[in-house]
Amino acid sequence: MQLPTDIADRLRTLDQPSIVQAWHSLDDQGQQRLLQQMRSIEWSLVSECLSLSKPGDPVPQAASLSWLHQARSPQALLMGSSFNHVLPCDALRTGRHALSRGAIGAILLAGGQGTRLRAHGPKGCYPIGPVSKASLYEILCGKLLAVARRYGRDVPLAVMTSCATDDDTRQYFENHSFFGLNSHNVFFFCQQEVPVLHATDKQFMLETPDHIAMAPDGHGGMLTSLAHRGGLDWFVSKGVEQLVSFQVDNPLIEPLSAEFLGYHLLSKAEMTTQVVRKENPRERVGVIVERDRTFQIVEYSDLPHSIADERLSNGCLRFSCGSIAVHCFDISFMIRMSHNRSALPFHVVHKAVPLLLSNGTIQVPENPNALKFERFIFDLLPQAERVSVVEVDRNNCFAPLKNPLGSQSDGPEHVQRSMLAKARAMMESAGVHVDDGIPIEIDCAHILDVDDIPHFIAPGTRMTAPTVVGRSIPISITVSETFHKTQGN
């Protein structure tokens, strides 16, 4: 079978002779599979990526950050504090009004797999509830359900998947009846993928003899994919005026905090982002910096240690605003940016990718050997006419699940410990005593905040058994058993 002329011309233009050679080595069925894949590739994205690195060029390096010497951490608004004459009570009232009008929509970035966690399937399916073993999806969707119950209006939700997780994610939501959400208010969309390139010759890499290795285009691909698949129009049709995006791996996250939304609205920001106070200079979070009233996020991997270690006279880190990937956008800003192709440029990321050898075996490299291309949603910050930065309490809002059980940080045991601590603090605030060593979990679908706890447990109650507060029947399972079973799953 001859390679179709249009595909052959594209490969020739992009200087990809290795794929032509691979084509001629395949049987008819293999050629059909490879052709079907190449027909689905967004070639304009491929051209954009290849333009960032030509054959013979060295591996791209991070851009110079010498300008950081003239930059500073932005002035962050601490939740519960006054800022620019905006009082917390006014922010709460404004955010609550927006939620009660149905003016807020949510975007859940959930394209990742559980590979790094040594689990199979979408990361959102990972069972993380310390008592209930609820999945990340159940916990995060529960937060939206609790908001809907409190304010009487659904929060339209768009879920970004990837090619690797799309089918499984849709099926998981259906199998769990959308976790109580109205299925008509849930919109799935799949982020785009681009080919992976050899770092040396910039040729497409093969995953199998008849399949080009592809990689998702990063969380910044959310905007392009959402707009392309009609998601922005869908939100507008639902009456949404502001969009909050957040990632699937943080069960402590509070993306729809009425106070947070109120500060965003009252500051008339086109984009507002949540941060936590960074105390460890090696913490793996990006930092928000400000220079000449322009904001941007510098990834931790790009921030030189010498700059990350700098401290002010009061002992605080010079760049202390750590991003937790929660952003609120004015939807008109998102629509405007969706028409601006340069708003979210590709970044070149050097990664170790399994290599298919000519003898058909797979070589797993010890060092980075490939180039992936990703967009970062926070690159929209410099494009916004007005930006707000809101600091949240990491103990209440930030416990990312990144690493497998037994890791030094960000593993299941660390996340569950944070969830248990937050639940215990909420119970104590509600006047409920929890005996030492008793694991208590909050059912996010029924308890939005401390005000909901008395509906389930009376103040003055003493809790002596493991319980999911918000569910009627206590679950007798120890924390150590939960960790063990989570690992097994």
Side-chain angles (χ1 to χ4, degrees), residues 86-144:
V86 176
L87 298 176
C89 58
D90 293 334
L92 274 169
R93 183 171 57 251
T94 301
R96 288 168 177 169
H97 181 61
L99 289 166
S100 65
R101 291 192 302 109
I104 308 299
I107 305 172
L108 175 57
L109 307 182
Q113 295 176 275
T115 306
R116 189 167 163 187
L117 293 170
R118 299 174 188 167
H120 300 289
K123 182 184 283 190
C125 300
Y126 193 90
I128 194 60
V131 180
S132 68
K133 295 193 296 182
S135 69
L136 287 163
Y137 279 138
E138 181 178 351
I139 290 169
L140 296 174
C141 288
K143 293 174 186 281
L144 270 65

Side-chain angles (χ1 to χ4, degrees), residues 367-475:
N367 299 310
N369 66 326
L371 303 180
K372 291 185 177 182
F373 301 87
E374 299 179 357
R375 305 182 197 266
F376 302 148
I377 194 63
F378 52 67
D379 278 342
L380 290 179
L381 276 169
Q383 309 290 332
E385 293 182 4
R386 186 185 293 270
V387 169
S388 285
V389 180
V390 176
E391 181 184 342
V392 297
D393 183 351
R394 71 163 62 231
N395 293 327
N396 290 331
C397 301
F398 189 52
L401 179 61
K402 302 288 187 182
N403 301 318
L405 195 71
S407 301
Q408 292 184 349
S409 64
D410 299 340
E413 64 270 50
H414 305 102
V415 174
Q416 291 179 330
R417 192 173 298 121
S418 295
M419 294 175 70
L420 292 170
K422 180 178 180 178
R424 176 177 287 270
M426 290 177 66
M427 299 305 293
E428 297 289 349
S429 294
V432 178
H433 176 74
V434 182
D435 280 2
D436 292 342
I438 299 301
I440 299 298
E441 182 181 341
I442 297 296
D443 179 9
C444 294
H446 292 90
I447 296 180
L448 180 62
D449 52 36
V450 173
D451 292 342
D452 287 325
I453 292 177
H455 297 304
F456 297 93
I457 298 182
T461 301
R462 177 184 175 188
M463 304 191 69
T464 61
T467 307
V468 181
V469 182
R471 299 183 183 180
S472 58
I473 302 176
I475 301 174

Side-chain angles (χ1 to χ4, degrees), residues 14-16 50 53-58 198-203:
L14 298 174
D15 192 22
Q16 295 295 321
L50 282 169
S53 183
K54 299 296 184 182
D57 288 349
H198 283 285
T200 52
D201 59 13
K202 312 306 185 288
Q203 293 293 296

Side-chain angles (χ1 to χ4, degrees), residues 177-316:
S177 301
F178 287 76
F179 309 104
L181 299 176
N182 182 345
S183 61
H184 296 293
N185 280 330
V186 180
F187 182 95
F188 294 98
F189 67 105
C190 188
Q191 68 185 124
Q192 294 177 307
E193 293 190 318
V194 291
V196 178
L197 302 183
H198 283 285
T200 52
D201 59 13
K202 312 306 185 288
Q203 293 293 296
F204 292 170
M205 295 180 69
L206 291 173
E207 186 175 278
T208 64
D210 57 12
H211 194 273
I212 297 169
M214 306 286 287
D217 62 350
H219 51 72
M222 172 265 284
L223 178 56
T224 301
S225 297
L226 183 65
H228 180 70
R229 289 166 174 78
L232 289 176
D233 292 335
W234 178 80
F235 274 122
V236 170
S237 74
K238 300 285 184 179
V240 169
E241 299 169 4
Q242 310 292 329
L243 288 169
V244 181
S245 71
F246 53 100
Q247 296 185 335
V248 76
D249 61 3
N250 182 6
L252 248 62
I253 209 163
E254 297 293 347
L256 298 178
S257 158
E259 186 179 352
F260 167 66
L261 296 171
Y263 284 124
H264 167 76
L265 290 164
L266 290 174
S267 65
K268 295 181 171 53
E270 288 192 317
M271 182 173 178
T272 299
T273 188
Q274 288 187 13
V275 299
V276 294
R277 184 67 56 86
K278 184 177 176 181
E279 297 176 351
N280 178 1
R282 299 291 183 270
E283 186 175 8
R284 296 164 69 89
V285 294
V287 294
I288 300 185
V289 301
E290 179 185 2
R291 182 180 62 158
D292 299 330
R293 297 186 180 181
T294 297
F295 299 81
Q296 71 180 80
I297 292 180
V298 178
E299 276 285 60
Y300 64 87
S301 55
D302 293 334
L303 192 65
H305 288 174
S306 59
I307 296 179
D309 291 341
E310 291 182 7
R311 293 185 180 271
L312 303 174
S313 58
N314 60 5
C316 295

